[in-house]
Amino acid sequence: MRQPFTRELQDLLERGRDRQLRLAVTGLSRAGKTAFLTSLVNQLRHAGLEARLDLLPAAREGRLLGARRISQQDLGVPRFPYDQAMAALSATAPRWPEPTRGISELRLTIRYRPARPGLLGGDSRQLTLDLFDYPGEWLLDLPLLGLDYPEWCARQHTLEGSQRAAHFADWQAAVARLDLAAEADEAQLAEISEHFAAGLRSAREAGFADLQPGRFLLPGDLSGAPVLQFFPLPGVCDTAPSVLASLSESSNYATLARRFRYYQQHVVRPFYRDHFRRFDRQIVLVDLLGALNAGPERFQDLSRALANLMQSFDYGQRSLLSRLFAPRIDRLAIAATKADHVTPEQHPRLVALLEALLAEPLKDLRYADVPVRALSLAAIRASESREVESQGRRTPALRGTGLDGEPLLIYPGEVPERLPDDAFWTRQGFDFPAFRPLPMEDGALPHIRMDAALDWLIGDKLT
Ligand code: GDP
């Protein structure tokens, strides 16, 4: 007799409680965050109608009734520009949406029918989903919180690798002229900082990712502020700490060290304290195919950047993050994006490569008991998979339209299953062009495995 009563009470409580989930999307620039969030909102808006979401049980079972945008709670965070993104994709010559540059938010309510209707009837329930999008570059700054200025300088890879160092030649020449002990020269510091920031920007344009500090690339409202006018000092570790500490408070060195501390306290910390700490779930997007296309130095650089970025999800008891902020992310997805750039039989290899690249951070996460899943997806599929016959053999191919409007039929190559070795790079059996989005038809955006991502990220809340 007791059990039905308990169930009934539980149902009532569930219904009374407004259920909420805060889901964050991140990735380095051009990883595909804007496309992902646009598609996610679009799929949920069309759920129960045209959206193809078979891997999400609530949708497959016809229980997902749809989603609606509502006003967000935090008025200080810009709204994610969903309508502008859809307008670009729906143009006569469809365009990719303009990427977002800082943090943005969008709030949805999702209506669904529970898998097991309560004793009080099979009525619908509601989940409030807060979606956040923020630059992965900001996460590259976490390790900076645990370092003092000379330690941070020593760990920079600014001049490592000839292709990378080339972007910083002007800065290198300018910083070599700086006298650390002299009275701070504001104009000189501003000029060297600008060379440094310009080096970061040009390295990023060239596809490098392991770039710090993150806000120098995406300064938002801090553009031009003195807090962004510092830079690492090459070779500062060769000077004894006692000598550095004895330099006057008004010296160039002490001014830079002060700005570094200010950046830690007033830029990096507030992001973790005010936003990151409050996310429940997180997906990290990785443009692995783009890095494969760009060659060994950039692939290596992405690997270092990701190892750095993943520290933000290492919740081991003694991790920097747990000590400082007690975050509560209880489920993580890591996705290789733009999977429509390779033929479908390559998709499992793409996931295997992602897992190989993130082997160490994934081990740490599993050890810390954070549920994590790696997958490959295309948020907005821009190609169609075909088979072509050549010399009596059928081979897989992709059909799409290039950014310049040219029709394309290509076989982009094989994705290596393991971390690529020298032989892979010398063969370089991998090359693909960018596709223009497919013309919009009525209904939901075409995708690959957005439903699998949705199932992992919110599926358990729709049962
Ligand atoms: P963000 O900087 O992380 O917001 O990246 P975006 O979402 O703006 O994506 C960067 C670029 O990657 C886009 O302009 C597209 O060219 C491409 N892209 C993103 N998602 C997809 C996808 O699912 N398929 C294809 N083919 N290209 C994509």
Side-chain angles (χ1 to χ4, degrees), residues 28-35 96-97 99 338 340-341 378-380 382 435:
L28 299 166
S29 286
R30 305 200 55 79
K33 298 179 290 295
T34 311
W96 290 101
K338 316 184 196 178
D340 57 325
H341 278 299
I380 303 176
F435 294 114

Side-chain angles (χ1 to χ4, degrees), residues 88-95 380-384 400-401 436-442 444-446:
L89 291 164
S90 319
T92 324
R95 283 174 284 116
I380 303 176
R381 181 170 54 76
S383 71
E384 281 162 358
T401 306
R436 173 195 273 191
L438 295 169
M440 272 290 281
E441 288 166 16
D442 281 347
L445 290 166

Side-chain angles (χ1 to χ4, degrees), residues 218-344:
L218 296 157
D221 49 7
L222 293 175
S223 189
V227 55
L228 299 191
Q229 288 174 354
F230 68 92
F231 40 82
L233 295 168
V236 75
C237 291
D238 302 340
T239 311
S242 56
V243 174
L244 292 174
S246 68
L247 295 176
S248 134
E249 269 303 290
S250 56
S251 65
N252 277 318
Y253 172 79
T255 306
L256 290 171
R258 216 165 29 246
R259 286 181 184 170
F260 173 81
R261 284 194 298 274
Y262 189 91
Y263 183 86
Q264 286 178 314
Q265 298 308 320
H266 297 274
V267 179
V268 184
R269 263 177 184 269
F271 168 68
Y272 282 93
R273 188 190 58 217
D274 302 340
H275 299 292
F276 190 87
R277 197 166 61 86
R278 296 159 62 213
F279 299 148
D280 300 311
R281 305 256 161 113
Q282 171 79 56
I283 181 164
V284 179
L285 305 176
V286 182
D287 182 10
L288 202 48
L289 292 171
L292 272 185
N293 231 12
E297 201 175 315
R298 258 151 288 188
F299 192 84
Q300 192 55 39
D301 175 85
L302 176 71
S303 150
R304 220 169 29 214
L306 287 175
N308 215 338
L309 185 152
M310 293 301 290
Q311 289 187 33
S312 288
F313 305 103
D314 176 4
Y315 298 163
Q317 291 281 304
R318 289 183 312 161
S319 77
L320 179 65
L321 194 70
S322 304
R323 277 187 281 127
L324 294 180
F325 305 105
R328 65 177 197 202
I329 290 171
D330 67 357
R331 198 173 267 210
L332 180 67
I334 301 172
T337 51
K338 316 184 196 178
D340 57 325
H341 278 299
V342 286
T343 43

